Each structure stands twice: as structure tokens, then as C-alpha cells.
Amino acid sequence: MAAIVDSYDAVLLDLDGVLHRGARPIPGAAESVVALRSRGARPVFVTNNASRTPGQVVAHLASVGIEAAVDEVITSALVTASALAERGLRRALVIGQDGLLEALAERGVQSVGLEGDPEAVVVGLDRGVTYERLRDAALAVQRGAAYVAANPDTTFPAENGNWPGAGALAAAITAAAGRSPEVMGKPAAPIFRVALARAGGTRPLVVGDRLDTDIAGAAALGWDSCLVL
């Protein structure tokens, strides 16, 4: 029997809110990934969450019953790090966790404080951020540093509700500095294009739970999408 996915050769799957919610698996998600693979659709796991490394993403997916390989994972941290490296930016004041810090380091971008004369301010999800760090980031932006957000998500879906996301942290800097960041994650095009290149397909289906990021980004590129309610 034909299925919708048979019209596509790549499926770009969001994670938080689609395959799991925090540590809790979403019913049917693991079985759906197995079914996609059995029908020849190449899945790529695409997340705006810049706090985890690809290896940590794979481990978390395994904990909710989903098998994935590291080279099937695209995070907004990887896309952000590549963009900075390609522009020759080597010193960044970073608000973020392991995933973002490791991705930047692997591309030769050093994490520095305000006293290190940052060429860029990079913002991702950071559960340990302090007022002082936000203050320094705002000052660096005011002094002319490039301003990049790994993603614009104002909320992060957790088991007990929505937590402030990277976009909420960036909003504080934007309000103080008077400049908006360049966004690398969904709905911006860079992360979608990198994910499709990784899948090796030409006819992608984007699966997500957010109209403002997953679905809007796919629509802007003229790609089909599937909204998980």
C-alpha cells in the first residue's frame, strides 16, 4: 500500500516535541522511524537545540527507543559553527552549553569573555546563564561584534511545560543592545539546506511540531511539511 512518504527521498525530522518530550518518548515515534527506513526514506534528525553534541543526541534518541547514527544528526550548533568559521570569525562570546561550545571549538572558534575582544556573540540554549554573561554579550554587540543566534525558539518543550529557550535569552540581549541576531537554525534556511545535503536527497519532507520554525522554514523553501500536533 502506498504511503505519503513514498513521494519523498528524505525526511527531516525535528526532535523535541516530535520524537520525544524531554525524557519521555512520544507514542509511535520510534515505530515511525523504523517504518521510514523500511520504505527507503532517508531520515535526518534536525534540531534547533544547540545544547547537545551529535553524540549526546544519538544517546538521547536511543533512550527513547530510536536508533540513529551521529552522521544523521544536524544541530543548529553545527550550522552556527560552520558559518562563523567560513567568515573567519575566531573569537566568540558564547552563551550556550556543550553542543555549541564543542561545535565552535572543532571549527577553530575560541570561546572568550568580554575582555577577550570577541568578534562575535553566539547565543544558544544555556541553562546556567548569568546576568553578568547576558550583560557582557549585550556590551559586545553594542561594540560591533557580529550577533548570531543558533535558533530563535523562545520556548523549550520539557516534560513539565515550556522552559525559556535560546530565543528568550537572545531577546534580552536584543532589547539591551538594540540589534537583532542573524539566525542559523529553523526557520532560517541554512539548517534545512545542510540537513538535506546530509540526507543526499532532492525531495524532502519536513516533519515538525512548530508552525513558526519547522513549517514556516519548509514553506519558505517551497518544501512540503508535516505538522505533528
CSV table of all heavy atoms in Angstrom, one decimal, residues 139-184:
chain,number,residue,atom,x,y,z
A,139,LEU,N,27.0,44.1,25.8
A,139,LEU,CA,28.0,45.1,25.6
A,139,LEU,C,28.8,44.8,24.3
A,139,LEU,O,29.2,45.7,23.5
A,139,LEU,CB,28.9,45.2,26.8
A,139,LEU,CG,28.3,45.8,28.0
A,139,LEU,CD1,29.2,45.6,29.3
A,139,LEU,CD2,28.0,47.3,27.8
A,140,ALA,N,29.1,43.5,24.1
A,140,ALA,CA,29.9,43.2,22.9
A,140,ALA,C,29.2,43.5,21.6
A,140,ALA,O,29.7,44.0,20.7
A,140,ALA,CB,30.3,41.7,23.0
A,141,VAL,N,27.9,43.2,21.6
A,141,VAL,CA,27.1,43.5,20.4
A,141,VAL,C,27.0,45.0,20.2
A,141,VAL,O,27.2,45.5,19.1
A,141,VAL,CB,25.6,43.0,20.6
A,141,VAL,CG1,24.7,43.5,19.5
A,141,VAL,CG2,25.6,41.5,20.6
A,142,GLN,N,26.9,45.8,21.3
A,142,GLN,CA,26.9,47.3,21.2
A,142,GLN,C,28.2,47.8,20.6
A,142,GLN,O,28.3,48.8,19.9
A,142,GLN,CB,26.6,47.9,22.5
A,142,GLN,CG,25.2,47.7,23.0
A,142,GLN,CD,25.1,48.2,24.5
A,142,GLN,OE1,25.2,49.4,24.7
A,142,GLN,NE2,24.7,47.3,25.4
A,143,ARG,N,29.3,47.1,20.9
A,143,ARG,CA,30.6,47.5,20.4
A,143,ARG,C,30.9,47.0,19.0
A,143,ARG,O,32.0,47.2,18.5
A,143,ARG,CB,31.7,47.0,21.4
A,143,ARG,CG,31.6,47.6,22.7
A,143,ARG,CD,32.6,47.0,23.8
A,143,ARG,NE,32.3,47.5,25.1
A,143,ARG,CZ,33.0,47.1,26.2
A,143,ARG,NH1,33.9,46.2,26.1
A,143,ARG,NH2,32.7,47.6,27.4
A,144,GLY,N,30.0,46.3,18.4
A,144,GLY,CA,30.2,46.0,17.0
A,144,GLY,C,30.4,44.5,16.6
A,144,GLY,O,30.6,44.1,15.5
A,145,ALA,N,30.4,43.6,17.6
A,145,ALA,CA,30.6,42.2,17.4
A,145,ALA,C,29.4,41.7,16.5
A,145,ALA,O,28.3,42.1,16.7
A,145,ALA,CB,30.6,41.4,18.7
A,146,ALA,N,29.7,40.7,15.7
A,146,ALA,CA,28.7,40.0,14.9
A,146,ALA,C,27.7,39.3,16.0
A,146,ALA,O,28.2,38.9,17.0
A,146,ALA,CB,29.3,39.0,14.0
A,147,TYR,N,26.5,39.3,15.7
A,147,TYR,CA,25.5,38.7,16.6
A,147,TYR,C,24.7,37.6,15.9
A,147,TYR,O,24.0,37.8,15.0
A,147,TYR,CB,24.6,39.9,17.0
A,147,TYR,CG,23.5,39.6,18.0
A,147,TYR,CD1,23.6,38.5,18.9
A,147,TYR,CD2,22.4,40.4,18.1
A,147,TYR,CE1,22.6,38.3,19.8
A,147,TYR,CE2,21.4,40.2,19.1
A,147,TYR,CZ,21.5,39.1,19.9
A,147,TYR,OH,20.5,38.8,20.8
A,148,VAL,N,24.9,36.4,16.5
A,148,VAL,CA,24.3,35.2,15.8
A,148,VAL,C,23.6,34.4,16.9
A,148,VAL,O,24.1,34.1,18.0
A,148,VAL,CB,25.4,34.3,15.2
A,148,VAL,CG1,24.9,33.0,14.6
A,148,VAL,CG2,26.2,35.1,14.2
A,149,ALA,N,22.4,34.0,16.5
A,149,ALA,CA,21.6,33.1,17.4
A,149,ALA,C,21.5,31.7,16.7
A,149,ALA,O,21.2,31.6,15.5
A,149,ALA,CB,20.2,33.6,17.6
A,150,ALA,N,21.9,30.7,17.5
A,150,ALA,CA,21.8,29.3,17.0
A,150,ALA,C,20.3,29.0,16.5
A,150,ALA,O,20.1,28.3,15.5
A,150,ALA,CB,22.3,28.3,18.0
A,151,ASN,N,19.4,29.5,17.3
A,151,ASN,CA,18.0,29.4,16.9
A,151,ASN,C,17.1,30.4,17.6
A,151,ASN,O,17.6,31.1,18.6
A,151,ASN,CB,17.5,28.0,17.3
A,151,ASN,CG,17.4,27.7,18.7
A,151,ASN,OD1,16.5,28.2,19.4
A,151,ASN,ND2,18.4,27.0,19.3
A,152,PRO,N,15.9,30.7,17.1
A,152,PRO,CA,15.1,31.7,17.7
A,152,PRO,C,14.0,31.2,18.7
A,152,PRO,O,13.1,31.9,19.0
A,152,PRO,CB,14.4,32.3,16.5
A,152,PRO,CG,14.2,31.1,15.6
A,152,PRO,CD,15.3,30.2,15.8
A,153,ASP,N,14.1,29.9,19.0
A,153,ASP,CA,13.0,29.3,19.8
A,153,ASP,C,12.9,30.0,21.2
A,153,ASP,O,13.8,29.9,22.0
A,153,ASP,CB,13.3,27.8,20.1
A,153,ASP,CG,13.3,27.0,18.8
A,153,ASP,OD1,12.9,27.6,17.7
A,153,ASP,OD2,13.6,25.8,18.8
A,154,THR,N,11.7,30.7,21.4
A,154,THR,CA,11.5,31.3,22.7
A,154,THR,C,11.2,30.3,23.8
A,154,THR,O,11.5,30.7,25.0
A,154,THR,CB,10.4,32.3,22.6
A,154,THR,OG1,9.2,31.7,22.1
A,154,THR,CG2,10.7,33.5,21.6
A,155,THR,N,10.8,29.1,23.5
A,155,THR,CA,10.5,28.1,24.5
A,155,THR,C,11.2,26.8,24.1
A,155,THR,O,11.5,26.6,23.0
A,155,THR,CB,9.0,27.9,24.6
A,155,THR,OG1,8.5,27.4,23.4
A,155,THR,CG2,8.3,29.1,25.1
A,156,PHE,N,11.4,26.0,25.2
A,156,PHE,CA,12.0,24.7,25.0
A,156,PHE,C,11.0,23.7,25.7
A,156,PHE,O,10.7,23.8,26.9
A,156,PHE,CB,13.3,24.7,25.7
A,156,PHE,CG,14.0,23.3,25.7
A,156,PHE,CD1,14.6,22.8,24.6
A,156,PHE,CD2,14.0,22.5,26.9
A,156,PHE,CE1,15.2,21.6,24.6
A,156,PHE,CE2,14.6,21.3,26.9
A,156,PHE,CZ,15.2,20.8,25.7
A,157,PRO,N,10.5,22.7,24.9
A,157,PRO,CA,9.5,21.8,25.5
A,157,PRO,C,10.1,20.8,26.5
A,157,PRO,O,11.0,20.0,26.1
A,157,PRO,CB,8.9,21.1,24.3
A,157,PRO,CG,10.0,21.2,23.2
A,157,PRO,CD,10.7,22.4,23.5
A,158,ALA,N,9.7,20.8,27.7
A,158,ALA,CA,10.1,19.9,28.7
A,158,ALA,C,8.9,19.1,29.2
A,158,ALA,O,7.7,19.4,28.8
A,158,ALA,CB,10.7,20.6,29.9
A,159,GLU,N,9.2,18.1,30.0
A,159,GLU,CA,8.1,17.2,30.5
A,159,GLU,C,7.0,17.9,31.3
A,159,GLU,O,5.9,17.6,31.3
A,159,GLU,CB,8.7,16.1,31.3
A,159,GLU,CG,9.5,15.1,30.5
A,159,GLU,CD,10.1,14.0,31.3
A,159,GLU,OE1,9.4,13.1,31.7
A,159,GLU,OE2,11.3,14.1,31.6
A,160,ASN,N,7.5,19.0,32.0
A,160,ASN,CA,6.5,19.7,32.9
A,160,ASN,C,6.1,21.0,32.3
A,160,ASN,O,5.5,21.8,33.1
A,160,ASN,CB,7.2,19.9,34.3
A,160,ASN,CG,8.5,20.7,34.2
A,160,ASN,OD1,9.0,21.0,33.1
A,160,ASN,ND2,9.0,21.2,35.3
A,161,GLY,N,6.3,21.3,31.1
A,161,GLY,CA,5.9,22.5,30.4
A,161,GLY,C,7.0,23.1,29.6
A,161,GLY,O,8.0,22.5,29.3
A,162,ASN,N,6.8,24.3,29.2
A,162,ASN,CA,7.7,25.0,28.3
A,162,ASN,C,8.7,25.9,29.1
A,162,ASN,O,8.3,26.6,30.0
A,162,ASN,CB,7.0,26.0,27.3
A,162,ASN,CG,6.3,25.2,26.3
A,162,ASN,OD1,6.7,24.1,25.9
A,162,ASN,ND2,5.1,25.7,25.8
A,163,TRP,N,10.0,25.7,28.9
A,163,TRP,CA,11.0,26.4,29.5
A,163,TRP,C,11.5,27.5,28.6
A,163,TRP,O,11.4,27.4,27.4
A,163,TRP,CB,12.2,25.5,29.9
A,163,TRP,CG,11.9,24.4,30.9
A,163,TRP,CD1,10.8,24.2,31.5
A,163,TRP,CD2,12.8,23.4,31.3
A,163,TRP,NE1,10.9,23.1,32.3
A,163,TRP,CE2,12.1,22.6,32.2
A,163,TRP,CE3,14.2,23.1,31.0
A,163,TRP,CZ2,12.7,21.5,32.8
A,163,TRP,CZ3,14.8,22.0,31.6
A,163,TRP,CH2,14.0,21.2,32.5
A,164,PRO,N,12.2,28.6,29.1
A,164,PRO,CA,12.7,29.6,28.2
A,164,PRO,C,13.8,29.0,27.3
A,164,PRO,O,14.7,28.3,27.8
A,164,PRO,CB,13.4,30.6,29.2
A,164,PRO,CG,12.6,30.4,30.5
A,164,PRO,CD,12.3,29.0,30.5
A,165,GLY,N,13.7,29.3,26.0
A,165,GLY,CA,14.6,28.8,25.1
A,165,GLY,C,15.7,29.8,24.7
A,165,GLY,O,15.8,30.9,25.3
A,166,ALA,N,16.5,29.4,23.7
A,166,ALA,CA,17.6,30.3,23.2
A,166,ALA,C,17.0,31.7,22.7
A,166,ALA,O,17.7,32.7,23.0
A,166,ALA,CB,18.4,29.7,22.1
A,167,GLY,N,15.9,31.7,22.1
A,167,GLY,CA,15.3,32.9,21.6
A,167,GLY,C,14.9,33.9,22.8
A,167,GLY,O,15.0,35.1,22.6
A,168,ALA,N,14.6,33.3,23.9
A,168,ALA,CA,14.3,34.1,25.1
A,168,ALA,C,15.5,34.8,25.6
A,168,ALA,O,15.5,36.0,26.0
A,168,ALA,CB,13.6,33.3,26.2
A,169,LEU,N,16.6,34.1,25.6
A,169,LEU,CA,17.9,34.7,26.0
A,169,LEU,C,18.4,35.7,25.0
A,169,LEU,O,18.8,36.8,25.4
A,169,LEU,CB,19.0,33.6,26.2
A,169,LEU,CG,18.7,32.4,27.1
A,169,LEU,CD1,19.8,31.4,27.2
A,169,LEU,CD2,18.4,33.0,28.5
A,170,ALA,N,18.2,35.4,23.7
A,170,ALA,CA,18.6,36.4,22.7
A,170,ALA,C,17.8,37.7,22.8
A,170,ALA,O,18.3,38.8,22.5
A,170,ALA,CB,18.5,35.8,21.3
A,171,ALA,N,16.5,37.5,23.2
A,171,ALA,CA,15.6,38.6,23.3
A,171,ALA,C,16.1,39.6,24.3
A,171,ALA,O,16.0,40.9,24.2
A,171,ALA,CB,14.2,38.2,23.6
A,172,ALA,N,16.7,39.1,25.4
A,172,ALA,CA,17.2,40.0,26.4
A,172,ALA,C,18.4,40.8,25.9
A,172,ALA,O,18.5,42.1,26.1
A,172,ALA,CB,17.7,39.2,27.7
A,173,ILE,N,19.3,40.2,25.1
A,173,ILE,CA,20.4,40.9,24.5
A,173,ILE,C,19.9,41.9,23.5
A,173,ILE,O,20.4,43.0,23.4
A,173,ILE,CB,21.4,39.8,23.9
A,173,ILE,CG1,21.9,38.9,25.0
A,173,ILE,CG2,22.5,40.5,23.2
A,173,ILE,CD1,22.6,37.7,24.5
A,174,THR,N,19.0,41.5,22.7
A,174,THR,CA,18.5,42.3,21.6
A,174,THR,C,17.8,43.6,22.3
A,174,THR,O,18.0,44.7,21.8
A,174,THR,CB,17.4,41.6,20.8
A,174,THR,OG1,18.0,40.5,20.1
A,174,THR,CG2,16.7,42.5,19.8
A,175,ALA,N,17.1,43.4,23.3
A,175,ALA,CA,16.5,44.6,24.0
A,175,ALA,C,17.5,45.5,24.5
A,175,ALA,O,17.3,46.8,24.5
A,175,ALA,CB,15.6,44.1,25.1
A,176,ALA,N,18.6,45.0,25.1
A,176,ALA,CA,19.6,45.9,25.6
A,176,ALA,C,20.5,46.5,24.6
A,176,ALA,O,20.9,47.7,24.7
A,176,ALA,CB,20.5,45.1,26.6
A,177,ALA,N,20.8,45.7,23.5
A,177,ALA,CA,21.8,46.2,22.5
A,177,ALA,C,21.2,46.9,21.4
A,177,ALA,O,21.8,47.6,20.6
A,177,ALA,CB,22.6,45.0,22.0
A,178,GLY,N,19.9,46.7,21.1
A,178,GLY,CA,19.2,47.3,20.0
A,178,GLY,C,19.5,46.7,18.7
A,178,GLY,O,19.3,47.4,17.6
A,179,ARG,N,20.0,45.5,18.7
A,179,ARG,CA,20.2,44.8,17.4
A,179,ARG,C,19.7,43.4,17.5
A,179,ARG,O,19.7,42.7,18.5
A,179,ARG,CB,21.7,44.7,17.1
A,179,ARG,CG,22.4,45.9,16.5
A,179,ARG,CD,23.9,45.7,16.4
A,179,ARG,NE,24.3,44.5,15.7
A,179,ARG,CZ,25.5,44.0,15.7
A,179,ARG,NH1,26.4,44.5,16.5
A,179,ARG,NH2,25.8,42.9,15.0
A,180,SER,N,19.1,42.9,16.3
A,180,SER,CA,18.6,41.6,16.3
A,180,SER,C,19.7,40.6,15.7
A,180,SER,O,20.5,41.0,14.9
A,180,SER,CB,17.4,41.5,15.4
A,180,SER,OG,16.3,42.3,15.9
A,181,PRO,N,19.7,39.4,16.2
A,181,PRO,CA,20.7,38.4,15.7
A,181,PRO,C,20.4,37.9,14.3
A,181,PRO,O,19.2,37.8,13.9
A,181,PRO,CB,20.6,37.3,16.8
A,181,PRO,CG,19.2,37.3,17.2
A,181,PRO,CD,18.8,38.8,17.2
A,182,GLU,N,21.4,37.4,13.7
A,182,GLU,CA,21.3,36.6,12.5
A,182,GLU,C,21.0,35.1,13.0
A,182,GLU,O,21.7,34.6,13.8
A,182,GLU,CB,22.5,36.6,11.6
A,182,GLU,CG,22.5,35.7,10.4
A,182,GLU,CD,23.8,35.6,9.6
A,182,GLU,OE1,24.8,36.3,10.1
A,182,GLU,OE2,23.8,35.0,8.6
A,183,VAL,N,20.0,34.5,12.5
A,183,VAL,CA,19.5,33.2,12.9
A,183,VAL,C,20.0,32.1,12.0
A,183,VAL,O,19.9,32.2,10.8
A,183,VAL,CB,18.0,33.1,13.1
A,183,VAL,CG1,17.5,31.7,13.4
A,183,VAL,CG2,17.5,34.1,14.1
A,184,MET,N,20.6,31.0,12.6
A,184,MET,CA,21.1,29.9,11.8
A,184,MET,C,20.2,28.7,11.8
A,184,MET,O,20.1,28.0,10.8
A,184,MET,CB,22.5,29.5,12.3
A,184,MET,CG,23.6,30.5,12.2
A,184,MET,SD,23.9,30.8,10.4
A,184,MET,CE,24.8,32.3,10.5
